[in-house]
Amino acid sequence: MVDLTALATHLLDGSIEVVDLTSPLHAGTPLLALPPEYGQTAPFELEEISRYDDRGPAWYWNNFRTGEHTGTHFDAPNHWISGRDLDDVSQVPAQRLVGPAVVIDKTAEVAADPDYLLDVADLREWESEHGALPDRGWLIYRTGWAARGDDPADFANADDDGPHTPGLTPDAARLLADSGILGMGVETVGTDAGRAFAFDPPFPCHDFFLGADKYGLTQLRNVDRLPTTGAIVIAAPLPIVNGSGSPCRVLALITR
């Protein structure tokens, strides 16, 4: 049996640091806006039940309302038609919510071109330097987009042609869907590029990843604090029965 005492000791003495990769969840949290003919997710809102008053003298609590795919969130396989017969978010095995993580950093490229697409050549170049992508692990795609996260308009980066945000080419999405990784985490509002509605197939990360029983993590922050290799990522969505996803607390363990 593996002894976890050493891990607990390192957490207590700070030699293993817990990094919060989660964006704050509030009324101003950026949302994915779809064309007006489609259904829209509800912005996050709190409804106060009581706050140390005659509605409840010793306690404070709220109801909340929002969509499953608001803020930092988890995409379950059944979120997309390609995974419609696969797990909902409550069925995802807990063992598959934790895994090693690697970071592919394209902040410079995205700064020069917000529509930058990670391609197969980028993945092969990374593997030639750092080794194979980890089986049962997370790929974190660092783009620097989290710096825009407190300004919904800047985060969407939309014009008359639609949003302009980084993502993956269809070939790169297919390669990763065929790999052994658990899924991919991004700093943007969704795993696909802003222009992905025009790709073949449309929204290839959703189509290939979720159809292959893999997961998406979105609107991550603090990924600049992660090493290229060697972190552990823990994703903790709510187990919503029949849910397609959930707002999620995402944590990383790193060594100092």
Side-chain angles (χ1 to χ4, degrees):
M1 182 179 293
V2 176
D3 186 354
L4 296 179
T5 304
L7 172 61
T9 299
H10 291 313
L11 286 168
L12 288 171
D13 68 18
S15 56
I16 292 179
E17 183 179 359
V18 181
V19 178
D20 195 345
L21 304 183
T22 315
S23 298
L25 188 56
H26 52 75
T29 295
L31 303 173
L32 177 63
L34 298 180
E37 64 267 27
Y38 297 119
Q40 307 292 328
T41 195
F44 183 84
E45 58 181 310
L46 287 179
E47 176 194 21
E48 188 174 282
I49 301 171
S50 68
R51 191 174 184 125
Y52 327 121
D53 52 27
D54 56 4
R55 299 169 298 169
W59 52 90
Y60 165 56
W61 56 343
N62 302 285
N63 295 314
F64 68 86
R65 179 176 187 266
T66 195
E68 296 170 328
H69 299 267
T70 301
T72 301
H73 67 268
F74 183 95
D75 289 345
N78 72 331
H79 174 46
W80 212 250
I81 192 168
S82 56
R84 65 190 304 170
D85 297 321
L86 300 176
D87 286 347
D88 69 40
V89 69
S90 73
Q91 296 168 328
V92 173
Q95 193 77 21
R96 289 173 59 83
L97 298 175
V98 180
V102 299
V103 178
I104 292 182
D105 187 347
K106 293 297 178 182
T107 51
E109 290 83 351
V110 172
D113 177 11
D115 289 313
Y116 180 82
L117 300 177
L118 187 77
D119 203 356
V120 171
D122 297 310
L123 296 170
R124 296 304 188 203
E125 180 182 10
W126 188 95
E127 287 186 310
S128 70
E129 183 175 355
H130 302 288
L133 296 173
D135 284 338
R136 295 176 60 85
W138 297 100
L139 171 64
I140 307 298
Y141 180 23
R142 182 184 173 202
T143 59
W145 210 258
R148 301 169 177 253
D150 293 324
D151 183 337
D154 195 30
F155 195 73
N157 197 37
D159 58 20
D160 290 342
D161 295 325
H164 297 272
T165 60
L168 273 65
T169 65
D171 286 343
R174 185 186 295 275
L175 185 153
L176 291 174
D178 291 339
S179 75
I181 65 171
L182 289 170
M184 183 177 69
V186 299
E187 296 174 85
T188 45
V189 71
T191 53
D192 273 297
R195 310 299 298 157
F197 60 85
F199 293 177
D200 184 18
F203 306 103
C205 288
H206 285 77
D207 189 68
F208 293 142
F209 269 60
L210 302 182
D213 202 24
K214 299 187 188 301
Y215 315 122
L217 298 173
T218 75
Q219 293 194 45
L220 301 179
R221 292 197 177 187
N222 297 320
V223 297
D224 57 309
R225 297 178 58 188
L226 303 185
T228 302
T229 62
I232 300 291
V233 163
I234 304 164
L238 298 172
I240 303 169
V241 175
N242 295 322
S244 70
S246 167
C248 189
R249 194 75 179 255
V250 182
L251 306 175
L253 305 182
I254 62 172
T255 57
R256 286 185 170 177

